[in-house]
Amino acid sequence: MAGDLIVGVGGDGSGFQAARVAARVANLMQSTLVLVFGYEAVAMGPRGGALEEQIEAVGDSAVAEIRAELAGTYPNLTIEVEMVQERPVDALINAAAARNAEAIAVGPGGSGPLKAALLGSITYEIVHRAPIPVLVVPNDEADTE
């Protein structure tokens, strides 16, 4: 049995295609798939409060949606979830290190120049900082419309 596969999942559905591909690989390798939702509610200021609760609710919903889909497709696959109060990049790298993971899977980030400049920065940073292989999975065509 190989090490875990880590997947970054965003509250906007980003990472869903990466999770689908990683689930297929994890199933073949008989590995555990770990869906990671990293968030930083307030970069400066106290933890807790309504904003943090809303972000956690968005994350819970997104992770539950993709987890249910993957569990239906791969009933024998072990799927775990980590909700991490860290920047998404740090959450993914730290989860991978803690689990001695084989790889990290992420989506490409944004689809237009402005989105890519804002959202693609997570993917860019993961690719350059991760000490293990990173799989960048393009979005499904239906997801980009």
Side-chain angles (χ1 to χ4, degrees):
M1 187 161 138
D4 297 346
L5 291 178
I6 306 295
V7 181
V9 177
D12 59 354
S14 60
F16 279 22
Q17 188 63 16
R20 291 177 186 112
V21 170
R24 185 173 36 208
V25 172
N27 190 57
L28 291 170
M29 293 173 51
Q30 298 180 334
S31 297
T32 297
L33 182 70
V34 184
L35 305 175
V36 176
F37 179 82
Y39 64 97
E40 191 173 38
V42 182
M44 297 168 49
R47 296 245 185 233
L51 175 60
E52 192 166 316
E53 289 172 8
Q54 289 175 354
I55 293 171
E56 288 172 355
V58 167
D60 286 340
S61 176
V63 170
E65 179 183 342
I66 192 63
R67 184 179 191 176
E69 176 187 322
L70 298 175
T73 305
Y74 304 101
N76 296 323
L77 178 63
T78 301
I79 303 171
E80 297 180 5
V81 172
E82 289 194 19
M83 303 291 285
V84 184
Q85 284 188 339
E86 291 181 315
R87 291 179 54 241
V89 171
D90 295 330
L92 291 167
I93 290 173
N94 291 338
R99 291 172 166 272
N100 198 24
E102 293 287 330
I104 299 171
V106 293
S111 57
L114 180 58
K115 278 188 170 182
L118 298 173
L119 302 176
S121 61
I122 291 171
T123 301
Y124 179 86
E125 192 173 345
I126 285 287
V127 166
H128 288 87
R129 283 190 45 205
I132 60 174
V134 176
L135 175 63
V136 180
V137 180
N139 288 328
D140 185 20
E141 288 182 31
D143 292 343
T144 60
E145 291 179 3

